[in-house]
Amino acid sequence: ANPGYMQTYRITNVWRPSVEQSPRGMATFLSCLFAFTTQLASSPAVENAVLTRLVAWCSFPPAIMALKKAIERKTLTPADKAVLAQTCYGLLRKVLPADV
């Protein structure tokens, strides 16, 4: 196991997308990201399907690689964290109603 991995999900400024988020919102995002990557790690078929869909949605290799690193429990760099946060924010803004 990667000893630095759990530090990955601590709230730091690099996780914050370009739009200010509350501490509660950031905690929710990071706990959901942790649960999501844990679930993907347990099912290679689902992991592959999600990564394939992410490629179709955003076609941004750094985001795909950062998510893959998170699934594999590798320590994420500040750039990985920033790209994951911003990509997730952007994708959710596209699919959620504007008032959410």
Side-chain angles (χ1 to χ4, degrees):
N2 179 349
Y5 179 71
M6 290 310 294
Q7 297 298 316
T8 296
Y9 292 95
R10 293 184 68 196
I11 296 174
T12 62
N13 285 336
V14 296
W15 275 117
R16 297 186 190 283
S18 59
V19 176
E20 186 64 31
Q21 304 297 310
S22 69
R24 183 179 286 171
M26 289 305 302
T28 300
F29 167 70
L30 291 173
S31 63
C32 288
L33 183 62
F34 178 80
F36 181 61
T37 57
T38 299
Q39 182 65 35
L40 292 178
S42 70
S43 175
V46 175
E47 174 188 341
N48 187 48
V50 167
L51 291 172
T52 299
R53 179 59 55 194
L54 185 58
V55 168
W57 282 340
C58 76
S59 294
F60 188 54
I64 286 80
M65 294 307 300
L67 181 57
K68 181 75 173 154
K69 283 173 71 173
I71 293 166
E72 293 173 350
R73 302 283 190 258
K74 294 182 178 173
T75 301
L76 300 179
T77 66
D80 293 329
K81 294 174 184 180
V83 78
L84 267 179
Q86 194 60 46
T87 300
C88 288
Y89 180 82
L91 288 173
L92 289 171
R93 289 290 9 135
K94 286 182 181 180
V95 299
L96 293 175
D99 61 341
V100 173

